[in-house]
């Protein structure tokens, strides 16, 4: 079920492949949270945000992603000591996968990173938007409050991947030790706070660093 799709960082040094990509095997959601916005500003990659600061994210099963080139360029950033692992290509600051630890198996990747002329054909259109209270300006319709159908779908996907053996091999963690495979940095508290002025709902500064 589903096809194979290539992904690559902006400069092309980091490349990977996702197998079994289809609307039935992924979860595509636009996330307006201030962490995703802060991450894009930290990387200087606000080109990946929509005009309200949203990130169009394709969530996939870890085992379906494999890097084929440029692994030595992959690094991770956590915005807080317990935050998501936000892996990216150090060559050109392209996000290549947001994850939690292997116990909650998913990888979220900005749709722009995929080599797809028509991503809707591959992944389906986004099924919704979340955390619109952080959107820059007016929240998009349906993006605020608790969206139960989106939540249940996300949980069902992750549970399915976990029970279906789609955690390993994990693209970012070693199976035997559960240790991250790539160098990791935690943002300082001061830097995390400094990024808030760029983020919704009411940014007080325009561009990232
Ligand atoms: Zn690159
Ligand atoms: Zn987010």
């Amino acid at each position: 079920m589903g096809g194979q799709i290539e992904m690559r960082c902006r400069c092309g040094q980091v490349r990977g492949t996702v197998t079994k990509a289809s609307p039935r095997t992924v979860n595509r959601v636009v996330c307006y949270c201030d962490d995703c916005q802060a991450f894009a500003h930290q990387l200087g990659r606000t080109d990946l945000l929509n005009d309200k600061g949203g990130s169009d994210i394709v969530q996939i099963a870890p085992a379906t992603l494999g890097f084929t080139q440029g692994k030595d360029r992959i690094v991770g950033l956590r915005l807080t000591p317990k935050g998501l692992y936000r892996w990216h290509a150090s060559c050109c600051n392209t996000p290549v996968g947001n994850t939690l630890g292997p116990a909650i198996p998913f990888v979220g990747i900005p749709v722009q990173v995929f080599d797809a002329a028509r991503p809707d054909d591959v992944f389906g259109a986004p099924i919704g938007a979340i955390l619109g209270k952080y959107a820059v300006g007016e929240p998009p319709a349906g993006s605020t409050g608790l969206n139960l159908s989106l939540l249940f779908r996300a949980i069902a996907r992750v549970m399915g991947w976990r029970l279906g053996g789609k955690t390993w091999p994990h693209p970012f963690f070693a199976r035997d030790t559960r240790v991250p495979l790539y160098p990791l940095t935690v943002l300082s508290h001061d830097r995390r706070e400094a990024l808030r002025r760029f983020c919704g709902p009411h940014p007080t500064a325009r561009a990232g660093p």
Side-chain angles (χ1 to χ4, degrees), residues 99-144:
T99 56
L100 290 165
I104 304 177
F106 72 87
V107 178
I109 302 169
V111 73
Q112 297 96 326
V113 175
F114 292 100
D115 188 16
R118 299 199 304 183
D120 287 10
D121 291 353
V122 181
F123 306 113
I127 59 168
I130 57 170
L131 294 162
K133 69 177 178 178
Y134 298 108
V136 176
E138 279 295 299
S143 68
T144 58

Side-chain angles (χ1 to χ4, degrees), residues 141-175:
S143 68
T144 58
L146 187 58
N147 186 327
L148 282 178
S149 74
L150 273 189
L151 183 65
F152 285 138
R153 176 159 164 169
I155 291 172
R157 280 273 189 273
V158 172
M159 288 299 292
W161 294 335
R162 186 172 171 167
L163 298 173
K166 299 284 172 54
T167 306
W168 305 104
H170 197 298
F172 302 111
F173 295 93
R175 182 167 196 167

Side-chain angles (χ1 to χ4, degrees), residues 4-48:
Q4 175 170 314
I5 181 134
E6 306 301 316
M7 55 179 274
R8 61 165 170 255
C9 68
R10 182 167 60 184
C11 78
Q13 292 187 56
V14 178
R15 292 170 189 260
T17 300
V18 171
T19 55
K20 298 189 174 66
S22 83
R24 297 167 56 87
T25 55
V26 307
N27 202 33
R28 183 178 172 194
V29 174
V30 180
C31 184
Y32 288 95
C33 85
D34 54 346
D35 281 347
C36 286
Q37 293 183 51
F39 179 53
H41 282 281
Q42 174 66 18
L43 293 186
R45 290 304 307 270
T46 54
D47 58 299
L48 298 172

